[in-house]
Amino acid sequence: MQEDIYATNRQVTLLDILDRVLNKGVVISGDIIISVADIDLVYVGLRVLLSSVETMERQGDASREKSLIP
Amino acid sequence: MPFLIHALIRLPEPLSGFREALRLAGPAAGGGTPELFVFREIGAVAVFVESVTASPLQAELLGYADVIERVAALATMLPVRYGSTAASEEALLAMLSANHDPIVEALNRVEGRVEYSVRILPPKEPSRIAGESGSDAVASTPPLLVGESVYKQYLRAKYEAFRKDRLLAGEAEALRGCLTDAIRRLDPAMRFASLDSAGFMVDLAVLVHRSAQAGLGSVFEAFRATHPDRQLLVTGPWPPYNFANLTKT
């Protein structure tokens, strides 16, 4: 975020970023693969992310190796 | 070995300056360099990757978002959802060609605009719904539900939950209107999307012109002053993630 003037705390912003990257933005058609390895990312919800991020924060740096998508 | 598409853009002037700025910003997460693929007056920023994993790490997703932020600072753009890949440069250009008109239309919608996330948390105590006092609940209980039987208690509890939900929904609608009206006074062409996310009383994505950004702080401060018992969460500015759909809305 370049002018993150109103972000209230790091966790809200982090979740916002991850939610946007995974659930928002253009879904384009054509010879484009929207799913990754048979997982349709359109349906990866914030609930999954919330769970994963909380787990990662509990586990500290070691959590870097933890996947966001089960 | 696909191209991971990050953003669709309107080609800025001069194009060489854009390419140079993109290059100088450094590699994307994973080491690939963001490249621009051009079709007429639009383009796609994509990174060549060995593969796209089914389980992206947080760092990969943040790196992806970082490239989108960089592009947003340089051109009118539409963020692309993570995981959108093209098998080859030809496939990428074919996608741009096939979607040219909707992409241009969507770029027009977001030109010069940024997105903000505006949320209000629900009250922690149910009795703190605006306009409700403790005696309201008792006074509003229908006579039919008054009584001490288990049956009456059950119905009263159901009725009470329904009544509070309805009050909360009414207040959410009023708060949403209060915020959007105030922002519209800054930017009459503002757009908003009500996201209705679980856990938030109000969850809005608001698209405003850059010229209105300076006034937003006052709008939010005024809201906080008039609604001290409501927690307002605002993040932004964001690239227009919630307004990047290619179908006309």
Side-chain angles (χ1 to χ4, degrees):
Chain A
M1 303 291 299
Q2 293 165 342
E3 302 171 55
D4 194 9
I5 52 177
Y6 301 118
T8 52
N9 62 56
R10 186 181 65 82
Q11 188 177 23
V12 169
T13 309
L14 174 64
L15 289 174
D16 273 349
I17 294 171
L18 299 178
D19 182 41
R20 278 172 164 77
V21 168
L22 286 171
N23 293 317
K24 317 288 185 189
V26 175
V27 177
I28 39 187
S29 60
D31 295 332
I32 302 298
I33 305 163
I34 303 301
S35 62
V36 173
D38 297 330
I39 296 176
D40 190 346
L41 291 170
V42 171
Y43 297 105
V44 175
L46 183 59
R47 194 168 300 170
V48 175
L49 287 171
L50 277 169
S51 168
S52 297
V53 171
E54 283 170 358
T55 304
M56 281 190 291
E57 291 200 335
R58 278 200 303 274
Q59 294 176 351
D61 289 342
S63 66
R64 287 179 179 278
E65 297 305 315
K66 187 171 180 63
S67 299
L68 286 172
I69 303 171
Chain B
M1 291 196 279
F3 289 98
L4 183 59
I5 307 168
H6 289 61
L8 305 175
I9 67 165
R10 170 171 291 138
L11 300 185
E13 296 286 345
L15 193 53
S16 58
F18 176 81
R19 287 186 195 273
E20 183 65 5
L22 205 58
R23 188 185 65 78
L24 289 177
T33 303
E35 294 181 50
L36 176 64
F37 298 87
V38 174
F39 177 78
R40 291 164 61 180
E41 79 277 35
I42 61 173
V45 175
V47 176
F48 179 77
V49 291
E50 290 293 325
S51 64
V52 179
T53 60
S55 301
L57 300 176
Q58 178 175 306
E60 290 176 81
L61 295 173
L62 294 180
Y64 186 85
D66 181 55
V67 171
I68 289 176
E69 290 280 348
R70 287 189 225 163
V71 175
L74 299 169
T76 299
M77 58 86 75
L78 304 169
V80 174
R81 189 169 303 188
Y82 179 85
S84 300
T85 58
S88 64
E89 182 174 348
E90 291 71 29
L92 212 166
L93 294 175
M95 178 278 294
L96 288 176
S97 171
N99 293 280
H100 174 269
D101 291 350
I103 290 172
V104 170
E105 188 182 336
L107 286 168
N108 288 341
R109 281 203 305 272
V110 302
E111 177 110 50
R113 297 180 173 276
V114 289
E115 179 179 313
Y116 281 84
S117 167
V118 182
R119 294 165 171 158
I120 300 173
L121 293 173
K124 288 179 180 167
E125 300 166 34
S127 63
R128 298 197 63 194
I129 299 169
E132 183 186 40
S133 67
S135 59
D136 287 348
V138 176
S140 66
T141 303
L144 191 65
L145 302 184
V146 175
E148 295 306 317
S149 70
V150 172
Y151 167 69
K152 297 265 184 170
Q153 287 176 28
Y154 170 78
L155 286 181
R156 219 163 36 238
K158 298 291 282 183
Y159 172 77
E160 188 59 19
F162 165 76
R163 197 182 61 83
K164 286 193 185 304
D165 282 350
R166 198 171 52 178
L167 276 172
L168 209 54
E171 192 199 350
E173 182 63 36
L175 294 175
R176 191 161 40 235
C178 174
L179 283 165
T180 54
D181 288 350
I183 297 172
R184 192 172 287 114
R185 281 193 284 276
L186 289 174
D187 175 11
M190 67 81 87
R191 297 161 58 94
F192 71 91
S194 193
L195 304 179
D196 297 326
S197 305
F200 295 103
M201 189 175 179
V202 172
D203 186 3
L204 297 174
V206 181
L207 188 71
V208 295
H209 197 273
R210 289 183 188 278
S211 62
Q213 277 183 273
L216 285 176
S218 304
V219 167
F220 298 134
E221 286 312 309
F223 180 89
R224 289 188 174 107
T226 52
H227 300 83
D229 55 342
R230 292 288 172 262
Q231 192 174 354
L232 178 68
L233 303 174
V234 183
T235 60
W238 297 93
Y241 281 96
N242 282 288
F243 300 90
N245 49 317
L246 294 186
T247 53
K248 192 171 184 179
T249 57

